[in-house]
């Protein structure tokens, strides 16, 4: 497999997100995000880990960008911390925060690396949440103001925009299971959050396009294809419900102007779905389905479903076979190929990017100060091969962003998982590229 097999205009990249890497959570006017509050709530984060420092990217970003350049990527996907660029009223601007990202974007352009900017990678201001957040339809306006102000501020220097990262995780883990910030457990909130996230996505697209001429705008979904454990009708039915709950609940409104029927009937039967559906207004689906320039897909694994999994209020990705990563997620590159083919056939997006794909494993630093993370290399290579097969079968896949550029704060899992190509010592903040970094580098720049 060669880089050139993927075509000349293919975007090779890596991805990160603000809260997971920056640290300096209370400096230069940054206000609290829901994750600042959540991480301080006892019992929410594995080992009580905190993200006050994370990778200290806030101070060390120039050093990190040198490693990025050396890696040979064309593009870098990262996110803006909304609470870093606004004040408590969500209206006043925080110039120090704005400048922090402006410097980074300009430096990336200097290094000939294309920025892919995510507006919402989960660390929304606590003040936004307190006004009702995603549950309150009126709050969509705050997000639109934020999208307007960011695209005004950076519209000339950023041309690739992502509205939301993984609405399923935001809503399901944050508002249904409560295992992520803001830690709510309410099915009706969960359904509303999904809906409002998608509307805010649709409404922000023309605003961004207006402010950032000739830019491309998309959304990032985490898609996990479900497979039945057997060919029994019950297992197949369970799989259908899973796929609608996890994937089509987002793909269908975005591409077909509707919510999928069977899972909705299933929820209504269980008494979960809100009886009052007034929160879905006429024209909402026209807004949600506003045409995007690309679909970002985050792929990590598949789920295997059996009929006894009737409770989808859990995280069904656990039923797996085959070799697993430290997260217990099955390594299943064929699932990525099939997913790409299916999404292309059913939704026909203009173009697709793999905006995240990666794995966490334990490893040791050897006596030569090297990290031989062979399993990550195998994961990366096998998933790139799956991408290549999908491209050969006609999928308009135009980029791949490995998750992650560097080890970071893995949300409710704290520092337990290491997804990076670059190792971070969370005590000294020393950076140490792993063997997987060298493998990717060699692939990208043919040493
Ligand atoms: C995705 C998130 C990303 C990271 C990876 C492992 O769900 O978008 O921030 O946590 O999982």
């Amino acid at each position: 497999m060669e880089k050139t097999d993927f075509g000349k205009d293919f975007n090779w990249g890596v991805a990160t997100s603000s809260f997971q890497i920056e640290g300096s959570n209370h400096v230069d006017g940054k206000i609290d995000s829901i994750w600042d509050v959540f991480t301080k709530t006892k019992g929410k984060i594995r080992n009580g880990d905190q993200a006050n420092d994370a990778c200290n990217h806030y101070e060390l970003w120039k050093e990190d960008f040198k490693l990025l350049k050396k890696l040979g990527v064309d593009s870098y996907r990262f996110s803006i911390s909304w609470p870093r660029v606004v004040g408590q009223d969500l209206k006043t601007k925080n110039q120090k925060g704005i400048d922090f990202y402006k410097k980074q974007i300009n430096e990336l352009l200097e290094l000939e690396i294309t920025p892919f900017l995510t507006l919402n990678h989960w660390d929304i201001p606590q003040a936004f949440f307190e006004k009702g957040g995603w549950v309150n339809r009126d709050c969509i306006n705050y997000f639109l103001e934020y999208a307007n102000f960011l695209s005004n501020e950076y519209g000339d220097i950023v041309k690739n925009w992502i509205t939301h990262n993984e609405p399923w995780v935001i809503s399901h883990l944050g508002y249904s299971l409560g295992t992520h910030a803001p830690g709510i457990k309410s099915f009706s909130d969960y359904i509303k959050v999904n809906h409002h996230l998608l509307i805010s996505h649709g409404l922000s697209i023309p605003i961004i396009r207006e402010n950032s001429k000739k830019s491309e705008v998309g959304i990032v979904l985490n898609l996990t294809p479900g497979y039945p454990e057997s060919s029994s009708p019950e297992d197949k039915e369970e799989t259908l419900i899973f796929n609608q709950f996890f994937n089509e609940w987002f793909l269908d409104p975005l591409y077909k102007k509707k919510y999928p029927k069977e899972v909705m009937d299933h929820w209504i039967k269980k008494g979960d779905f809100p009886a009052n559906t007034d929160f879905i207004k006429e024209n909402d689906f026209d807004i949600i389905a506003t045409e995007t320039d690309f679909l970002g897909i985050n792929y990590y694994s598949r789920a295997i479903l059996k009929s006894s999994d009737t409770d989808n209020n859990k995280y069904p990705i656990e039923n797996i076979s085959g070799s697993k990563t430290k997260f217990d997620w099955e390594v299943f590159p064929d699932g990525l190929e099939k997913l790409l083919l299916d999404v292309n056939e059913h939704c026909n997006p203009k173009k697709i990017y793999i905006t995240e794909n990666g794995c966490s494993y334990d490893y040791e630093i050897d006596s030569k100060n090297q990290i031989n993370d062979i399993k990550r290399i195998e994961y990366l290579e096998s998933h790139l091969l799956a991408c290549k097969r999908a491209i050969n079968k006609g999928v308009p896949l135009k980029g791949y962003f490995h998750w992650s550029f560097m080890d970071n704060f893995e949300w409710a899992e704290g520092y337990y998982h290491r997804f990076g190509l670059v190792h971070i010592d969370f005590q000294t903040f020393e950076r140490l590229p792993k063997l997987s970094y060298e493998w990717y580098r060699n692939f990208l720049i043919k040493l």
Side-chain angles (χ1 to χ4, degrees):
M1 175 179 56
E2 304 277 335
K3 180 185 164 184
T4 47
D5 297 340
F6 292 75
K8 261 211 199 118
D9 57 347
F10 198 83
N11 271 281
W12 292 99
V14 284
T16 63
S17 89
S18 48
F19 190 77
Q20 294 181 274
I21 63 169
E22 287 176 357
S24 297
N25 283 341
H26 299 99
V27 306
D28 290 343
K30 181 183 169 293
I31 58 170
D32 268 346
S33 76
I34 54 169
W35 275 93
D36 288 304
V37 175
F38 193 71
T39 45
K40 289 186 185 70
T41 314
K42 207 166 177 274
K44 295 295 184 189
I45 311 295
R46 191 191 275 262
N47 301 324
D49 288 348
Q50 294 296 306
N52 297 328
D53 298 320
C55 308
N56 196 16
H57 178 74
Y58 193 76
E59 290 178 4
L60 300 177
W61 63 270
K62 274 205 172 165
E63 191 182 316
D64 291 334
F65 282 8
K66 280 187 194 141
L67 282 174
L68 205 55
K69 180 66 193 166
K70 192 172 168 208
L71 182 57
V73 289
D74 313 300
S75 308
Y76 174 51
R77 175 179 173 231
F78 65 113
S79 73
I80 300 270
S81 164
W82 183 0
R84 207 182 273 292
V85 295
V86 293
Q88 285 293 358
D89 59 0
L90 304 178
K91 289 188 186 302
T92 41
K93 296 172 185 170
N94 179 24
Q95 198 56 44
K96 286 194 174 152
I98 298 170
D99 291 346
F100 170 62
Y101 295 109
K102 192 166 274 174
K103 275 188 261 167
Q104 287 190 54
I105 296 163
N106 281 326
E107 177 81 9
L108 287 171
L109 296 177
E110 191 72 20
L111 296 170
E112 297 181 328
I113 297 173
T114 306
F116 277 65
L117 204 71
T118 309
L119 267 56
N120 169 25
H121 200 124
W122 310 352
D123 52 345
I124 55 170
Q126 175 72 9
F128 173 78
F129 169 71
E130 282 167 10
K131 289 177 199 297
W134 302 122
V135 182
N136 179 352
R137 191 174 176 119
D138 292 341
C139 281
I140 290 175
N141 284 327
Y142 288 109
F143 179 74
L144 299 181
E145 278 175 36
Y146 165 62
N148 183 33
F149 135 58
L150 276 198
S151 51
N152 245 319
E153 202 64 61
Y154 308 128
D156 294 338
I157 47 179
V158 172
K159 295 295 173 189
N160 295 277
W161 298 87
I162 292 163
T163 55
H164 298 296
N165 179 67
E166 302 190 342
W168 182 91
V169 175
I170 297 174
S171 61
H172 190 65
L173 303 193
Y175 291 83
S176 177
L177 296 188
T179 53
H180 271 198
I184 310 287
K185 291 184 188 173
S186 154
F187 194 90
S188 78
D189 280 2
Y190 149 68
I191 289 292
K192 286 180 195 157
V193 167
N194 277 334
H195 194 66
H196 297 155
L197 280 169
L198 291 177
I199 293 178
S200 67
H201 155 78
L203 289 175
S204 66
I205 296 171
I207 299 175
I208 298 170
R209 285 201 182 120
E210 175 63 29
N211 291 337
S212 178
K213 299 283 185 237
K214 295 197 179 141
S215 64
E216 303 209 333
V217 191
I219 188 167
V220 164
L221 303 180
N222 54 306
L223 300 179
T224 296
Y227 288 70
E229 193 186 59
S230 78
S231 56
S232 76
E234 292 80 14
D235 286 0
K236 283 189 179 163
E237 170 68 14
E238 191 59 36
T239 306
L240 176 109
I241 298 291
F242 172 82
N243 279 326
Q244 292 194 351
F245 150 71
F246 210 104
N247 306 314
E248 287 149 35
W249 196 261
F250 302 93
L251 289 169
D252 279 12
L254 287 165
Y255 290 96
K256 298 176 202 274
K257 300 191 178 184
K258 66 174 179 68
Y259 282 127
K261 186 176 175 322
E262 284 80 0
V263 69
M264 186 152 14
D265 291 347
H266 171 81
W267 285 334
I268 291 171
K269 213 160 89 191
K270 278 175 66 195
D272 285 343
F273 201 80
N276 183 342
T277 53
D278 283 359
F279 64 94
I280 305 177
K281 314 261 181 234
E282 224 189 310
N283 296 336
D284 277 2
F285 288 112
D286 289 331
I287 296 170
I288 294 172
T290 303
E291 204 183 12
T292 51
D293 301 290
F294 61 85
L295 173 67
I297 296 179
N298 294 352
Y299 176 84
Y300 288 91
S301 189
R302 68 161 164 179
I304 297 174
L305 283 301
K306 51 177 183 284
S307 55
S308 51
D309 296 337
T310 46
D311 181 10
N312 52 31
N313 203 23
K314 65 188 177 82
Y315 196 38
I317 203 169
E318 284 156 10
N319 294 327
I320 54 159
S321 58
S323 97
K324 299 175 188 176
T325 66
K326 186 177 175 183
F327 232 124
D328 262 358
W329 296 345
E330 180 185 357
V331 180
F332 193 63
D334 285 355
L336 175 55
E337 178 190 355
K338 184 171 179 310
L339 175 70
L340 285 167
L341 292 167
D342 286 352
V343 169
N344 190 40
E345 189 183 327
H346 296 300
C347 304
N348 196 20
K350 276 200 213 155
K351 58 172 138 170
I352 302 177
Y353 293 119
I354 296 300
T355 34
E356 285 181 31
N357 172 242
C359 53
S360 81
Y361 287 111
D362 282 333
Y363 51 77
E364 313 237 303
I365 304 180
D366 71 16
S367 54
K368 294 189 202 124
N369 210 27
Q370 283 182 344
I371 296 168
N372 297 321
D373 57 338
I374 304 289
K375 285 187 186 156
R376 177 169 292 98
I377 296 174
E378 285 170 3
Y379 185 100
L380 174 53
E381 187 172 25
S382 61
H383 285 78
L384 288 182
L385 282 165
C387 289
K388 192 176 129 197
R389 291 196 295 276
I391 294 171
N392 291 345
K393 291 178 184 166
V395 175
L397 180 66
K398 296 295 176 195
Y400 174 91
F401 295 78
H402 191 73
W403 184 272
S404 178
F405 175 45
M406 53 186 161
D407 296 339
N408 56 51
F409 183 80
E410 180 46 41
W411 308 110
E413 293 292 311
Y415 298 105
Y416 186 68
H417 291 282
R418 290 179 174 273
F419 277 89
L421 298 172
V422 176
H423 169 85
I424 304 282
D425 181 321
F426 291 106
Q427 255 71 53
T428 63
F429 305 114
E430 199 189 325
R431 275 76 172 130
L432 180 61
K434 303 175 191 176
L435 199 62
S436 53
Y437 172 99
E438 300 303 339
W439 186 90
Y440 197 30
R441 177 168 184 242
N442 192 32
F443 176 77
L444 293 178
I445 62 181
K446 270 265 156 268
L447 296 172

